[in-house]
Amino acid sequence: MISKIYLDSFHIEIGTKCKIGRYFWLPHPRCIIIADFVVIGEHVHVGQYVTIGGNFKKTKILADGAIQKLPILGNRINIHPGAVIGGPVSIGNDVIIGANAVITHDVANNSMAFGQNQIARKKIVLPNEGGSYSDLSDF
């Protein structure tokens, strides 16, 4: 749980009715706004000066008949500094949102979004070629 003092000192507003998954990370916590009722999946990283909110004049009917007014974010998303995600949009899994991007349209799984609703049509799959920390004797 994030403390109220922490949120106030870094000018962070997170709605009390948000649903946020595990491993939510704010690597540079400054001036972040997340509206009430936003849904955020697991392993989501949010940079500084990011706004995630809605436009209550717009709605979208989901497949199950529910009405969506605010963003729904999937899992393993990296949102770079200054990005704005607004309106009833769905962001898929394994997505990168570029710095200063303005996203008002849905973003599919394994995609990258940047600029003003510029969404890379080519699927982006990052290989998991990470190293190991088990043998650090060379350093």
Side-chain angles (χ1 to χ4, degrees):
M1 188 62 151
I2 302 172
S3 74
K4 175 97 170 97
I5 295 170
Y6 179 82
L7 295 177
D8 288 343
S9 63
F10 290 110
H11 306 288
I12 299 171
E13 295 179 26
I14 299 177
T16 57
K17 296 175 181 158
C18 289
K19 292 183 181 178
I20 299 176
R22 297 180 304 162
Y23 310 113
F24 179 69
W25 185 38
L26 305 173
H28 301 282
R30 294 273 192 260
C31 303
I32 297 169
I33 299 172
I34 302 174
D36 269 341
F37 302 106
V38 170
V39 177
I40 299 176
E42 296 182 352
H43 297 278
V44 174
H45 301 166
V46 177
Q48 64 269 29
Y49 301 102
V50 168
T51 300
I52 304 172
N55 178 347
F56 288 100
K57 294 178 183 177
K58 294 183 179 181
T59 60
K60 181 169 70 172
I61 307 296
L62 301 176
D64 62 358
I67 297 174
Q68 178 185 352
K69 292 185 178 185
L70 293 161
I72 298 174
L73 283 66
N75 299 318
R76 298 171 303 282
I77 297 174
N78 196 344
I79 305 171
H80 289 266
V84 175
I85 301 172
V89 298
S90 297
I91 309 295
N93 298 323
D94 303 306
V95 170
I96 299 170
I97 306 289
N100 298 317
V102 177
I103 306 302
T104 59
H105 292 91
D106 291 349
V107 179
N109 292 338
N110 303 309
S111 296
M112 181 166 61
F114 52 94
Q116 180 81 21
N117 287 315
Q118 299 294 315
I119 300 167
R121 301 293 179 216
K122 183 178 179 183
K123 298 288 185 183
I124 297 171
V125 179
L126 300 175
N128 186 5
E129 297 177 0
S132 172
Y133 291 105
S134 60
D135 184 19
L136 297 176
S137 60
D138 294 338
F139 293 99

